[in-house]
Amino acid sequence: MWRGAATRAWGACLERFGLVFPKCNRRDLVTVSVNPAAGLADQPAKIAVWGLAPLQEVTLRALVVDGHERLFDSCAHYQADTQGKVDVCRDSSQGGDYTGVEPMGLFWSLSPAAMEKPYHRLDPGQVKTPMKVDVSVHQGYSPPAPSPGPVLARASMERWFTLSEVRRIRLKEGVVRGSLFLPPDNLAPKAIKYNYKLKRNLKGPKEGVLRDGLFPGVIDMFGDEGGLVEFRSSLLATHGFAALSLPYFNFEDLPQVMEDFHLEYFQEAARFLLRHPKVKGPGVGAVGTGKGAELACSMMTFLPEVVAAVCISGCSSITTSTLHYGKLTLPGLCFNMSKIRISEDGVFDIYEALDDPKDPANSHCRIPIEKAEGHFLFVVGEDDCNWKSSLYAEIAIECLRQNGKDNFTLLSYPGAGHQINPAFFPVCPVALDRVLGVPILGGGNSSAHAYAQEHSWGKILEFLHFHLR
């Protein structure tokens, strides 16, 4: 049904844009290939076109239908070489949604199509179903929005957010809710190592030494929009982790709005993972973005079950909602609504709205991470316009250093914005907040942000494998 809907949407899009043309005299000669035709969404793909005239100008377009039946598209301009070939991994885009040599540019530059409302994030939907990407080659250069030229060739590919052998188990364990993704047994005996360097052409996983047949456990959390977000957990499972996608409000019988948090909920999730017969102890990891990073940091600080935390674009203090753990209470920093700016096109800039965590009056909100015995990985974009995540990481690191600790790694990316997702995920400098219903400025240069996602994802996997080994 999904594939049929995607095909119909693609056909409707072609008709709407007036792409029913008389046959071009080169159409039968032009071929576009996508390799692999089916692969994981966090792995690179190669796109090539041949059969063009020497130095012919063409537009490459990609189109996707997401889990909410919304259309996303991207385009780039290329000129064939003297042999009539375009190799996206080699050749430079001359215009469109990106410029320069960007092998995965058509993927990370996907954004809502012209007929859709702007600022939506691409939502993969059901992670056990592939995301179909249609790639087409059009005659001549055409801008991103107007009708492209005649179609010379088409191909499609599937981008999977999990392996078919990965088990997805919907969790309702005591008060804990979520989805547990368990890798296939044939991944268990391998310690997957990564060689991710600061360059574009990253190498994939290599086989490592034999292991004991169990998987390291990871709890995965996202930001303050709530709900169940599974795509990162499902990808973690393909890399050998037992990954628990953990919602903490706005899901099933959990609170519908973000209220005070009790760390016992997250501790029970960690204990559930450690009790699972397929999870390797003695501790688990936590990965979080935004509010989820703040919670991951708190779990590492207070919970002995958590021994490694990846904090992506998080804050060094509790924000908005009070955190409770036993007799401990940490109040949240407040947002000053008067400091929110709204641009002429209706985009909300909340960068200055959060209270200053460095103000002595707010010291009681600070997460005392110097108590943590495990290891932190801080991932931040230096152009984060959602809030001051680079500053917050500096505050956390300075606190650790002042207490004689070096149990941290910082990945700081120039030009990257707020929402740093796994490799090749569409970049979204402005995103529609799913709770408030308004567009929020996240910041970032698209190419720099895409690089941050590609590089940090490999480092995150490497960090978790090392500290949960």
Side-chain angles (χ1 to χ4, degrees):
M1 183 174 69
W2 189 94
R3 293 181 182 179
T7 301
R8 291 192 297 272
W10 175 241
C13 182
L14 293 178
E15 291 179 6
R16 175 163 184 158
F17 284 142
L19 296 183
V20 181
F21 295 93
K23 182 179 290 187
C24 174
N25 62 358
R26 295 198 60 84
R27 180 184 174 101
D28 292 336
L29 305 177
V30 178
T31 302
V32 57
S33 69
V34 289
N35 185 36
L40 288 172
D42 65 346
Q43 297 299 306
K46 296 180 179 180
I47 299 175
V49 185
W50 62 91
L52 298 167
L55 306 181
Q56 182 175 350
E57 296 177 345
V58 293
T59 297
L60 269 62
R61 288 184 175 263
L63 186 137
V64 166
V65 181
D66 80 348
H68 297 281
E69 299 297 317
R70 294 186 294 249
L71 290 173
F72 288 74
D73 64 3
S74 61
C75 79
H77 303 156
Y78 288 91
Q79 185 177 41
D81 62 16
T82 56
Q83 303 300 312
K85 182 177 179 180
V86 170
D87 183 344
V88 175
C89 293
R90 175 200 67 188
D91 299 332
S92 179
S93 169
Q94 304 302 309
D97 289 317
Y98 61 90
T99 58
V101 179
E102 297 286 355
M104 295 296 289
L106 284 173
F107 297 87
W108 57 251
S109 66
L110 285 163
S111 62
M115 73 280 292
E116 300 287 354
K117 292 181 179 180
Y119 307 132
H120 279 291
R121 294 193 194 104
L122 191 150
D123 185 348
Q126 295 293 327
V127 295
K128 297 293 281 186
T129 302
M131 182 177 71
K132 183 180 178 183
V133 182
D134 289 295
V135 178
S136 55
V137 183
H138 300 261
Q139 184 171 296
Y141 289 165
S142 56
S147 302
V151 178
L152 303 178
R154 296 180 195 159
S156 64
M157 67 183 308
E158 293 179 346
R159 302 287 282 173
W160 288 83
F161 286 87
T162 192
L163 299 171
S164 59
E165 302 90 348
V166 167
R167 285 191 292 157
R168 175 181 177 270
I169 303 168
R170 181 57 65 86
L171 179 63
K172 199 166 188 177
E173 181 77 10
V175 297
V176 179
R177 303 292 178 264
S179 293
L180 175 63
F181 292 87
L182 291 176
D185 289 340
N186 61 4
L187 284 186
K190 298 174 182 178
I192 302 175
K193 297 182 180 179
Y194 296 85
N195 181 21
Y196 279 74
K197 297 181 179 179
L198 287 169
K199 58 182 182 180
R200 286 296 186 181
N201 297 321
L202 306 186
K203 296 182 180 180
K206 296 181 179 180
E207 291 188 10
V209 298
L210 292 179
R211 300 187 65 179
D212 53 12
L214 301 179
F215 305 108
V218 176
I219 295 172
D220 182 33
M221 301 166 290
F222 276 84
D224 57 7
E225 295 180 356
L228 179 65
V229 183
E230 297 180 318
F231 67 85
R232 189 165 60 196
S233 300
S234 62
L235 284 172
L236 284 169
T238 69
H239 293 280
F241 297 98
L244 171 58
S245 178
L246 184 68
Y248 45 92
F249 77 100
N250 193 26
F251 180 71
E252 292 184 348
D253 55 353
L254 296 175
Q256 290 303 298
V257 296
M258 194 164 59
E259 301 172 344
D260 287 5
F261 291 110
H262 294 268
L263 208 56
E264 287 83 357
Y265 172 79
F266 303 91
Q267 186 168 39
E268 182 54 37
R271 288 174 174 174
F272 163 79
L273 267 185
L274 287 172
R275 289 195 303 266
H276 198 283
K278 299 299 291 183
V279 173
K280 173 185 176 70
V284 299
V287 179
T289 298
K291 183 68 178 182
E294 173 189 318
L295 292 167
C297 186
S298 301
M299 293 167 70
M300 254 275 285
T301 298
F302 297 111
L303 306 183
E305 296 86 355
V306 180
V307 299
V310 178
C311 305
I312 305 168
S313 304
C315 187
S316 54
S317 296
I318 300 299
T319 62
T320 310
S321 300
T322 300
L323 180 72
H324 303 276
Y325 183 52
K327 296 181 179 180
L328 173 73
T329 297
L330 293 179
L333 295 173
C334 296
F335 278 89
N336 187 337
M337 305 303 287
S338 67
K339 293 185 177 181
I340 296 176
R341 296 179 298 173
I342 305 176
S343 69
E344 292 183 358
D345 52 359
V347 175
F348 283 58
D349 182 347
I350 64 173
Y351 184 72
E352 296 287 352
L354 186 66
D355 285 349
D356 183 2
K358 298 182 74 174
D359 187 333
N362 296 321
S363 61
H364 56 303
C365 302
R366 185 183 69 85
I367 303 168
I369 65 170
E370 67 275 7
K371 296 182 179 181
E373 297 299 328
H375 288 79
F376 293 97
L377 175 61
F378 299 104
V379 182
V380 297
E382 295 177 15
D383 193 30
D384 186 345
C385 294
N386 186 276
W387 62 9
K388 303 172 184 180
S389 57
S390 288
L391 171 64
Y392 305 151
E394 290 175 6
I395 293 172
I397 289 170
E398 182 61 25
C399 177
L400 292 170
R401 284 176 172 158
Q402 287 177 353
N403 286 271
K405 295 200 169 185
D406 60 357
N407 55 337
F408 64 88
T409 300
L410 172 65
L411 297 177
S412 184
Y413 295 98
H418 181 71
Q419 189 78 17
I420 300 177
N421 282 315
F424 314 127
F425 208 79
V427 174
C428 201
V430 178
L432 193 68
D433 187 284
R434 297 181 181 123
V435 174
L436 301 177
V438 298
I440 304 293
L441 180 64
N445 167 275
S446 294
S447 179
H449 191 97
Y451 170 68
Q453 294 189 152
E454 187 178 7
H455 180 264
S456 65
W457 182 237
K459 290 297 185 181
I460 288 168
L461 297 173
E462 184 181 80
F463 173 86
L464 291 171
H465 272 297
F466 182 80
H467 290 290
L468 300 178
R469 65 191 188 281

